Amino acid sequence: MDSGYYEIYRYVTLERIKLRPLPHSARFAPLPVLSCLAILLSLPPFSAAALAQVSCVVTITSPASGTAIAGTQTVNMLESCSGGAPGFKRLYVGPVGSTTILTASFDFPPGPATLAWNTTSIPNGSYHLNVIEWDATGSIKEGGTTQDTIVTISNVAGGSSLPTFSVICPPGFPCPASGLLTFEQGGQPVTANAVFVTSAAAPTATPSRAPTATPSRAPAATPAPTRTASPAPTSTATPAASATPTPVLGGAVMKANDFLNTMGAVTHDIQKLESATAIINGFRYTGLRIGRDDATHSSSGAGSVQDLCNIHAATGVKYHELPIVDDGDASVSDTRAMWDQLAGCGGMLEAEGPNEPNNGPFFYAGATCSMGSSFLPCAHYQADLYKMVKSDPLLRNFRVAGLTEPGAEPDNVGLQFLAIPSGSGLAMPDGTVYADIANTHNYVQGNGTAGTTLMDNHARLAETIQAGPFDHYGNYWGATWNRQFAGASSGQNARPKETTETGWNIYKPGANIGWDMMARLVTDVFLDAPQLGWSETIVYKMFEEPPYDTGNGMFNRNGDEADAGNATALGLYIHNLTAILSDNSSAFSATPVALSLSGLPPTGYYQLMQKSSGVHELVLWGEAFASRTASTVTVTLPKTAASIKVYDITSGTAPIQSLTNAASVRVTLTDHAVIVEF
């Protein structure tokens, strides 16, 4: 393909790296088309059960970290295993400081812990070396290196011939000095050196553009114990967060039941990747109340609408089910039949538009909706979908969410608006209504270094509507990211919004912050979102799905099990959070408390909640993800409480501290939630 201006971004559903053209005002230096190798998709999943059988710790003894190597390099390692011997060992090689993925793997020969590695097989540059041990089938990880070994390949025949490009980093975010880009040109892989510069040092003053944005949803009206469909909510005026957010100290009391009603997970029953029984167990353990799953033409049997109805009947969970888009002009009527069945059994929460049509083109109204041609068929589909929902007796009271990634429009059909304003002069008529609520995939695992390296206030920034490395601005806020078509307001609560996908994949190259830290980060997202006007937060995803989609689930796969026995740290911490806050009624008037806090750091936030029993829960959470600063916060109540209990979601559901007849308590905040109950 020809040279042009491109930005690397994540195809979130499968954690693949893809490209999209950048607008003129935010271009990098000219780059050839990049087609990155998402190699870690092939890595087998972590399995706690397997590690209990064979567990190895590996140390690379040569080459030493920081050395330059060339030609055939001997890689030596020491391994210490319990429970048996590993099946085989594999060396993984990934570039240092790269925003793309260039990774190769090399298998050790059977027996000796020595590998003769021909370094000329990959380009010159600096690389991370890691060794992972697998069982004989390659499906179970049995151990690996814990240290980070970095070497520089310097072969005479390579390196000097590589082209060099400048890449502008977003302002205010970490910027590596250099790295490698790998891309495809003429069907062949090509590698180039990359020099990263901050926007201030860039040759031109054009600002780097905000990452892909996607629709989102505004806070819903106070939910009843049993969730019912409601029209589009009105957003509350919450101040927009700045680059260094300050706490939104809620004088208002949030009902615990209302908070729990904002939390959800993506499941894959329709794809038959997990059973309805497993999903039921997963919802029961995590306490999550919203599901999101795929479209189907099946009304009964495995992977059908009836499965979602059965999940609802067993758990009370209500679903976003994606619309049908694979039946041409009959797709909207097919969707109507599917959603009528789901609504009829009480299992539907909301109608949602197509999922990322820039990544999944479809045919409607006599043409294909595609980022490479036109989004006009998408616009006709979304407008017809909205009309269908509002005219259907079973569906008319459900809120309609817009499609995701409207900012990809190659032509201005107005999908960046919920309704096209008058005087727009677009390809679709003024007044065309697409949705009641903006719908986003603003992953906390952002773009560039925000997708690999944690910052202080990382979760808070991901929920803040502003230009930056997170995927919300440029779709329903600001100008569209593809062609810079004029869009809607950039205000934090200018429109109702929801998140239908977010999360962090620890197996993305360079992004392995570990299960524990990932779980702390994502549970903070659940807490930040309602304060910043997001009415729902749906995390991708409930289950690990080996071999291609792992590193982001709440449970490891083990038949129909979904409990403490196979929960990842993410599933465990969500369980602890929802169990501590558990409540099922909003039919009461919340009582404010004039408490005071001292010592709250710039990375600390809080929300006062109340249960229907009258008990108050002060949830405090820290976001010192980079600095790791521990802060002591003193909570002082207006009067003595008969009982004060302190919980830590990383420690379990039992209190870590209990006081009687006390009016104050000290807690420590770092990077996760603690709860003071009184």
Side-chain angles (χ1 to χ4, degrees), residues 367-391:
T368 298
C369 173
S370 167
M371 185 174 167
S373 56
S374 171
F375 262 29
L376 187 59
C378 280
H380 285 298
Y381 181 96
Q382 183 68 30
D384 289 349
L385 189 75
Y386 188 90
K387 292 175 184 176
M388 178 274 288
V389 170
K390 299 307 178 181
S391 65

Side-chain angles (χ1 to χ4, degrees), residues 10-66:
R10 186 180 64 251
Y11 178 23
V12 242
T13 302
L14 297 178
E15 285 298 323
R16 293 175 180 167
I17 304 298
K18 294 184 181 261
L19 293 176
R20 64 182 182 202
L22 282 177
H24 178 76
S25 63
R27 289 176 171 174
F28 297 160
L31 297 178
V33 177
L34 309 181
S35 177
C36 306
L37 308 173
I39 53 91
L40 284 193
L41 292 176
S42 64
L43 295 187
F46 172 87
S47 170
L51 288 178
Q53 299 169 11
V54 178
S55 179
C56 302
V57 176
V58 177
T59 302
I60 296 175
T61 57
S62 68
S65 186

Side-chain angles (χ1 to χ4, degrees), residues 183-272:
F183 49 91
E184 186 176 274
Q185 188 168 33
Q188 299 299 317
V190 179
T191 300
N193 292 313
V195 176
F196 297 87
V197 294
T198 61
S199 56
T204 61
T206 52
S208 64
R209 104 162 189 63
T212 66
T214 27
S216 51
R217 157 184 186 177
T222 302
T226 302
R227 298 195 61 149
T228 55
S230 60
T234 55
S235 56
T236 56
T238 303
S242 61
T244 304
T246 56
V248 178
L249 303 180
V253 182
M254 186 175 194
K255 297 174 183 178
N257 184 59
D258 292 353
F259 168 71
L260 296 170
N261 280 341
T262 69
M263 303 172 69
V266 171
T267 61
H268 286 143
D269 174 86
I270 300 302
Q271 294 183 32
K272 302 180 184 178

Side-chain angles (χ1 to χ4, degrees), residues 39 42-43 90-93 103-107 115 117 121-122:
I39 53 91
S42 64
L43 295 187
R90 179 172 292 166
L91 173 70
Y92 292 93
V93 184
T103 305
S105 62
F106 306 87
D107 286 354
L115 168 68
W117 170 32
S121 61
I122 60 177

